[in-house]
Structure formats: structure tokens, C-alpha cells
């Protein structure tokens, strides 16, 4: 059973930084594409960033240049470094794994990020 556990969310002032982490278990982490999504109440969950199992990264236009996704396969962990945070970045952030061999898709429980003064 795949488990994804996020951490690192919290309250930060506009312009501040946060680093989210997601630790995976129950899967061969190195052959998962890993993504971060976010969701605010009343809106659909949106893709923020993806890092493929080969290390290719992609970002939503709204976060490009401010957020960086990375992975440490030795620690089964994916990170989302967020800089220059804006109030509109406020959301619950979810970790997602896609096992490339079977396309099995799994989600973490989410971590709240609030950007407010």
C-alpha cells in the first residue's frame, strides 16, 4: 500500500518562503513521477509542479520562477521549495505519485499553506 506523507506547510507572510516535503513508502520511489497539486475550497485541484522519474520538471505558469520541485530517491522524498509567496498561493498542497509501470495514482493527505500578513 502506497503512503505519501506531506509536511512543511504553515503560515507565512507575503514574500516569504516555505519548503514542503513528501515522503513515500510502499512503492519503488525511483520509478514514480512525483507531483505537487493544490486546492482551495470551491475550486478544482490544480497541478503545481511535476518531476518525472527521469528528473524532468514542469511547472504551472503561476509558479514558474518562484517554486522548485526536486527529489531525493535515496530518501524516497520529493520537495517543493516555494519562494516569493503570494496570498493567492494559499491552498492545501497535495503530493501525488504516478507509478510509471502501472499508472497507479496515489495521493497524500495534504498540508495547508497560508500566505497572509
Amino acid at each position: 500500500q502506497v503512503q505519501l506523507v506531506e509536511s512543511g506547510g504553515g503560515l507565512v507572510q507575503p514574500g516569504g518562503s516555505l519548503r514542503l516535503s513528501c515522503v513515500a513508502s510502499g512503492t519503488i520511489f525511483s520509478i514514480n513521477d512525483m507531483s505537487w497539486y493544490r486546492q482551495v475550497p470551491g475550486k478544482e485541484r490544480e497541478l503545481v509542479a511535476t518531476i518525472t522519474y527521469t528528473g524532468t520538471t514542469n511547472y504551472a505558469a503561476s509558479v514558474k520562477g518562484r517554486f522548485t520541485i526536486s527529489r531525493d530517491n535515496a530518501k524516497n522524498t520529493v520537495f517543493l521549495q516555494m519562494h516569493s509567496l503570494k496570498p493567492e498561493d494559499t491552498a492545501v498542497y497535495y503530493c501525488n505519485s504516478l507509478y510509471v509501470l502501472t499508472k497507479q495514482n496515489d495521493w497524500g493527505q495534504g498540508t495547508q499553506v497560508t500566505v497572509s500578513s
Side-chain angles (χ1 to χ4, degrees):
Q1 182 180 358
V2 177
Q3 272 199 310
L4 302 172
V5 180
E6 301 103 331
S7 62
L11 173 64
V12 63
Q13 292 188 340
S17 299
L18 278 177
R19 188 174 85 152
L20 306 183
S21 301
C22 170
V23 180
S25 60
T27 185
I28 305 173
F29 182 77
S30 61
I31 49 176
N32 276 270
D33 293 343
M34 300 299 297
S35 298
W36 288 96
Y37 286 74
R38 66 187 181 186
Q39 189 170 25
V40 297
K43 291 192 175 181
E44 290 191 1
R45 195 169 293 189
E46 67 167 345
L47 178 62
V48 175
T50 296
I51 183 165
T52 69
Y53 75 103
T54 61
T56 301
T57 58
N58 287 288
Y59 298 92
S62 59
V63 307
K64 197 171 291 186
R66 300 189 297 122
F67 291 10
T68 301
I69 190 170
S70 60
R71 65 191 296 159
D72 184 341
N73 287 343
K75 296 182 179 180
N76 286 5
T77 303
V78 62
F79 304 97
L80 185 68
Q81 179 68 57
M82 306 184 290
H83 294 298
S84 303
L85 283 160
K86 306 175 182 180
E88 51 264 43
D89 295 317
T90 296
V92 177
Y93 284 70
Y94 295 91
C95 179
N96 173 270
S97 66
L98 178 67
Y99 186 57
V100 297
L101 297 182
T102 63
K103 307 302 181 188
Q104 179 177 332
N105 204 16
D106 291 283
W107 296 91
Q109 82 287 352
T111 186
Q112 176 70 46
V113 171
T114 302
V115 185
S116 175
S117 55

